[in-house]
Amino acid sequence: MNINIKIILLTLSAIAASSCGQTIKETAATEGTLQEGLFAGKSFTDFTLTGEAFQEEDACASLTFHATGQTGSGYEVLFHNGPIDGTRKTGSLVSVRNLYKSLAADGEWFPFEISVRGKNISVKVKGIDVVCYTEPETPYRTEEHSAQILGSGHFSLRGYTGTTQFRNLKVKELKPGTTNPCDTLPPVDEQNDHIIRLQQENFPVIDWHIHAKGGLTMEMAHALSMNCGICYGVGPNAYGPMKEGEGGYGTMYTGDDDLGEYYESIKNLPFMHGVQGEGRKWSYSFSDSILSKFDYLYTDAMTVTDHKGRLTRTYRPEEVSMDIPADDYMEMLVCQMEKILTEEPADIFANAFYIPDTLSAEYDKYWTDSRIARVLKVMKENGIALEINARYKVPTKRIIEKAKAMGLKFTFGTNNMGTGYGRLEYCDEIIKECGLTPEDMWYPVMSTRSARNTASTRGPIKTVIITGQNNHNWPVSHIALEKILANSGLFTVDQAISPEPGGDFSNFNVDFDRYELVVMDYNGDSWNDDMNAGFVKFVRNGGGVVIYHAADNAFSGWEEFNKIIALGGWENRDENSGPYVYWKDGALVKDFSPGPGGSHGEQHEYVMECRSQAHPIIKGLPARWKHAKDELYDSMRGPGNIGELLYTAYAPVEKRGSGRTEPLIFTVAYGNGRIFHIMTGHAGQTLEDNPAMQCAGFQTLLLRGAQWAATGIVTQPVPADFPTADKSVLRPEYK
């Protein structure tokens, strides 16, 4: 292997050195330029050494100071760039303050500065402080590093791999008693500190889960990191569009613009740069181009949609509604974790295996072996690392041992609430008790998120259309629906056609376990109990559902179905079914006025208005577009548990409409399921005379909504023929 160090001066050609201990010399007693050869006549105590370094790819070298000739004497500053892979990086004060991210890059000249002032050692890279270490009165050193003590001595350069060049090396001798004005924190008591022991063993000490909130500033985090020897990963909370009362603690970033501004403000700071996905909107509210700028992504399962569709932050006791048996509630939480870890592009499962206080008193009871195995299996399949959280002290040793046996990788994290946070004490306990080694730890070079959860890695979505009865022309609608879905190549489609009205439903059952997506084109007689229970279970366990047009007229007396559709009409719906829901003054209104639910005026073309442009179903689509001739549902009633409102349209009085702006396309959350409700698409007399379903806007929204409901992602590009605000577009071939 070619190991090469070059020292380049303004007027002196380079020399090569390929072995440990190659030394260089200086020419002036107080200030001068380091030159080739030996420091034969000068020993330095306090000094400032400046210079520039240039490294080719995979190069590694070091500069040692206070070397006395004794093996291992002096302190070594490392020069080693490259990705975050668990190896020590440029600026590391080797085995005392190891760094794992380099501010410099290969292939560029970068400045550095090393200073010793009394007992303080500081290192700067590209003008940024990366080390500020004060040697205590009684430093802790292993036998291997026993000579790593401040005193006085020579400089030396050592090459490990590749080629490193230095130029403009200058040393300035400092007067005794010179102090570092940035050295404001007391030195660590290393005799009683576990972090220095990990540093001496070269065990990567990284806290990947720090937030600048609760009074903790970036400057404070920087100083604490250098003082205690823990490398920090600092991350903002990326939430997405927020409604009143949503979000966690601290600043929530809502879109590309504010998250991009944040990145620009911190990109040159000496932290690992992460993003925590907060809540469940984050994965589709920020573009890949923004998220990919960060070193890593992490999320937790502390915000979920519970068994009744309620947004629940499980760390807030007042939001945990235990209105079902505790074991059923735990099962809901585990299903949510499986869903989150399958669908969201996280590298790390943070606050992992956390459960609310009402359950945590019997933590091991609820975290059965089978439940643990289910979560770990999803993590293993998706290459997700397991955070060992120092604040919550989760997961337990039992879970960590199971994870290690499965070959999962680990990270450490704190999830601080303010300026007072510890020193990864629980993580240190786990290292000892579970025998973790550096090889068990995760680093960003191991990320698999870019290869996960894409349409290219899966086959067509297994879909069933339930039809056979409807007050609309179902013989046309179910064929048109199948054509639209099947012609896309994204779906395989079966039809479940019910008995005729008044027929025998005792044997009408759909094997929901066979499918990922159910498209409801049904409004008729009640199903049997097994069919009802199977449908609810399918949705609760994460199945995707499309509620198409008049399917929301069905089953007015079935409470769970009405929660799944959020809004319905006709079939004796009235104020007892829930409020009217409509859009007014920039918000959804719930109107509890009495009256029948469900109406529409005469069919006509109308303009759809976007209300949530960040959602993947409509991302990139026009904010306004003209829908082909269709019914425009109004005065719909129900629980009103709309997840994301996507499009509305105004129902004009002159067309016998409500005179209000009505919600027509939206999502619904129910259990672990995803529901896409599209009220448009009234079936015509024939497949040829069917403008509402031939509309390119309807077909595009159906396809994108169906894919999202089944998978949580949308891969389809915006079609070139999508309608404009002034003109509708038809696709008579349904593709």
Side-chain angles (χ1 to χ4, degrees):
M1 179 181 295
N2 176 39
I3 303 172
N4 199 19
I5 291 180
K6 296 180 179 179
I7 306 166
I8 301 176
L9 302 179
L10 294 177
T11 59
L12 188 66
S13 60
I15 65 167
S18 60
S19 63
C20 299
Q22 172 66 40
T23 58
I24 55 181
K25 71 177 182 179
E26 50 76 42
T27 57
T30 58
E31 184 171 3
T33 301
L34 299 178
Q35 297 179 2
E36 59 180 309
L38 298 176
F39 276 117
K42 182 63 181 177
S43 178
F44 283 91
T45 303
D46 290 1
F47 63 87
T48 293
L49 171 65
T50 59
E52 295 175 89
F54 180 99
Q55 295 193 287
E56 296 180 2
E57 187 175 355
D58 296 327
C60 182
S62 68
L63 189 154
T64 298
F65 57 89
H66 284 199
T68 64
Q70 177 185 352
T71 301
S73 65
Y75 283 89
E76 186 178 18
V77 175
L78 200 67
F79 293 84
H80 180 216
N81 304 317
I84 304 172
D85 57 7
T87 60
R88 296 172 297 191
K89 297 299 179 182
T90 295
S92 293
L93 191 62
V94 173
S95 301
V96 175
R97 290 292 182 265
N98 294 322
L99 309 176
Y100 294 94
K101 180 174 183 174
S102 175
L103 296 182
D106 291 329
E108 66 175 20
W109 283 101
F110 61 90
F112 65 91
E113 178 183 300
I114 303 168
S115 296
V116 174
R117 286 165 283 201
K119 290 291 187 178
N120 179 259
I121 304 169
S122 64
V123 180
K124 290 185 179 185
V125 176
K126 299 179 72 171
I128 304 294
D129 290 293
V130 295
V131 170
C132 183
Y133 169 72
T134 300
E135 186 182 275
E137 288 295 324
T138 311
Y140 174 84
R141 299 291 184 268
T142 61
E143 182 177 353
E144 179 185 357
H145 300 290
S146 59
Q148 196 175 35
I149 301 293
L150 285 172
S152 62
H154 301 297
F155 297 100
S156 67
L157 290 172
R158 172 178 296 178
Y160 291 106
T161 60
T163 298
T164 299
Q165 300 181 60
F166 293 94
R167 72 182 181 188
N168 298 330
L169 296 175
K170 295 182 179 181
V171 62
K172 179 179 180 180
E173 189 171 27
L174 303 177
K175 295 179 180 179
T178 303
T179 60
N180 180 0
C182 296
D183 181 24
T184 59
L185 297 174
V188 173
D189 176 10
E190 293 185 356
Q191 295 303 310
N192 296 292
D193 178 55
H194 60 279
I195 298 299
I196 190 63
R197 285 161 171 75
L198 294 173
Q199 295 274 10
Q200 291 276 287
E201 296 165 6
N202 292 319
F203 193 110
V205 187
I206 306 171
D207 187 334
W208 299 89
H209 194 166
I210 294 293
H211 297 297
K213 62 183 178 183
L216 180 70
T217 65
M218 291 290 187
E219 293 77 14
M220 293 168 64
H222 186 186
L224 287 167
S225 173
M226 292 190 295
N227 176 256
C228 69
I230 300 175
C231 295
Y232 288 156
V234 179
N237 293 106
Y239 193 90
M242 292 180 63
K243 299 176 182 178
E244 185 176 354
E246 290 186 344
Y249 297 112
T251 301
M252 298 288 119
Y253 290 83
T254 60
D256 278 4
D257 289 345
D258 57 357
L259 189 61
E261 289 176 7
Y262 167 85
Y263 177 78
E264 291 301 315
S265 72
I266 55 86
K267 65 182 181 181
N268 295 321
L269 296 180
F271 302 115
M272 315 291 184
H273 300 313
V275 170
Q276 176 168 6
E278 179 76 24
R280 307 279 63 94
K281 300 177 187 178
W282 74 278
S283 61
Y284 60 77
S285 298
F286 301 89
S287 68
D288 290 341
S289 62
I290 290 294
L291 293 178
S292 64
K293 292 177 182 289
F294 293 85
D295 297 324
Y296 61 101
L297 308 179
Y298 57 110
T299 195
D300 59 32
M302 298 175 80
T303 300
V304 300
T305 302
D306 77 0
H307 53 289
K308 290 190 175 180
R310 296 168 294 205
L311 184 70
T312 302
R313 289 164 286 198
T314 59
Y315 53 89
R316 296 187 177 187
E318 69 275 11
E319 293 186 11
V320 178
S321 300
M322 299 287 290
D323 48 10
I324 55 175
D327 203 62
D328 291 345
Y329 196 91
M330 181 67 190
E331 185 64 21
M332 178 273 294
L333 291 176
V334 173
C335 288
Q336 284 278 352
M337 291 181 197
E338 291 176 298
K339 177 182 177 183
I340 289 165
L341 295 170
T342 299
E343 297 171 357
E344 298 182 10
D347 296 306
I348 302 168
F349 184 22
N351 305 314
F353 291 86
Y354 172 92
I355 53 177
D357 291 345
T358 51
L359 300 176
S360 63
E362 297 182 279
Y363 191 91
D364 286 337
K365 171 186 173 181
Y366 292 110
W367 274 119
T368 63
D369 286 348
S370 63
R371 286 173 177 153
I372 293 169
R374 284 165 55 190
V375 176
L376 294 179
K377 178 176 181 289
V378 173
M379 296 180 67
K380 178 71 173 178
E381 290 172 346
N382 290 289
I384 298 171
L386 177 62
E387 177 186 271
I388 301 170
N389 187 269
R391 174 182 166 195
Y392 292 116
K393 298 185 178 181
V394 292
T396 59
K397 176 185 174 184
R398 168 173 160 249
I399 295 173
I400 291 167
E401 287 177 336
K402 291 178 181 294
K404 180 175 167 65
M406 287 181 64
L408 268 69
K409 299 295 184 180
F410 301 91
T411 63
F412 301 146
T414 295
N415 188 20
N416 62 298
M417 287 296 294
T419 59
Y421 52 97
R423 298 167 59 80
L424 299 175
E425 289 86 353
Y426 179 68
C427 303
D428 182 56
E429 292 175 20
I430 291 298
I431 291 171
K432 297 171 183 174
E433 293 181 11
C434 297
L436 298 186
T437 69
E439 287 69 35
D440 292 315
M441 308 311 290
W442 179 90
Y443 309 100
V445 291
M446 301 175 183
S447 175
T448 63
R449 69 176 187 261
S450 62
R452 295 201 313 265
N453 205 24
T454 63
S456 62
T457 62
R458 54 168 298 140
I461 296 165
K462 298 175 182 177
T463 304
V464 61
I465 299 173
I466 301 178
T467 190
Q469 290 189 32
N470 208 307
N471 61 313
H472 288 57
N473 192 1
W474 70 266
V476 167
S477 61
H478 84 284
I479 297 299
L481 291 170
E482 180 174 359
K483 282 179 174 290
I484 295 166
L485 295 170
N487 285 341
S488 72
L490 296 173
F491 305 84
T492 58
V493 184
D494 293 338
Q495 300 276 1
I497 300 177
S498 73
E500 295 181 354
D504 181 6
F505 273 74
S506 60
N507 293 318
F508 180 57
N509 278 300
V510 171
D511 183 1
F512 291 103
D513 289 341
R514 293 179 54 198
Y515 299 104
E516 301 164 88
L517 179 69
V518 172
V519 178
M520 284 290 292
D521 179 33
Y522 183 87
N523 175 26
D525 292 348
S526 297
W527 298 337
N528 62 63
D529 290 346
D530 287 344
M531 179 84 158
N532 287 0
F535 179 66
V536 170
K537 180 182 177 183
F538 170 80
V539 184
R540 281 182 172 165
N541 288 348
V545 178
V546 173
I547 301 297
Y548 155 69
H549 197 52
D552 60 22
N553 300 179
F555 308 137
S556 63
W558 183 6
E559 181 181 0
E560 297 308 309
F561 182 79
N562 283 282
K563 292 176 184 176
I564 289 170
I565 67 173
L567 291 177
W570 294 274
E571 206 184 63
N572 300 315
R573 286 179 170 85
D574 59 19
E575 59 270 20
N576 296 311
S577 306
Y580 294 121
V581 180
Y582 49 86
W583 182 265
K584 185 178 180 181
D585 297 331
L588 278 173
V589 174
K590 292 187 177 181
D591 181 346
F592 291 87
S593 301
S599 180
H600 63 79
E602 62 186 80
Q603 295 186 40
H604 65 286
E605 290 190 340
Y606 49 84
V607 173
M608 305 288 278
E609 297 269 2
C610 173
R611 302 300 176 189
S612 183
Q613 209 154 11
H615 197 282
I617 293 174
I618 61 174
K619 197 168 187 177
L621 298 181
R624 303 177 77 251
W625 58 275
K626 182 169 282 189
H627 179 41
K629 183 180 178 181
D630 196 355
E631 294 177 342
L632 198 166
Y633 279 9
D634 64 53
S635 305
M636 304 294 275
R637 310 196 74 130
N641 52 313
I642 290 174
E644 291 287 329
L645 178 60
L646 304 181
Y647 281 109
T648 62
Y650 178 70
V653 173
E654 59 269 25
K655 296 290 187 181
R656 294 188 292 111
S658 63
R660 296 190 294 245
T661 299
E662 301 289 346
L664 295 185
I665 301 177
F666 51 86
T667 69
V668 185
Y670 179 91
N672 286 320
R674 276 180 302 271
I675 299 98
F676 174 65
H677 191 153
I678 182 167
M679 293 184 180
T680 57
H682 179 76
Q685 294 300 310
T686 65
L687 284 170
E688 293 73 29
D689 180 18
N690 192 20
M693 299 188 78
Q694 290 175 337
C695 175
F698 170 80
Q699 293 183 23
T700 299
L701 267 296
L702 176 69
L703 288 171
R704 290 168 73 98
Q707 187 184 26
W708 173 83
T711 69
I713 61 173
V714 175
T715 61
Q716 303 160 60
V718 176
D721 66 343
F722 196 85
T724 66
D726 302 317
K727 184 180 179 181
S728 62
V729 177
L730 299 185
R731 294 177 183 165
E733 301 302 320
Y734 298 98
K735 62 180 179 180

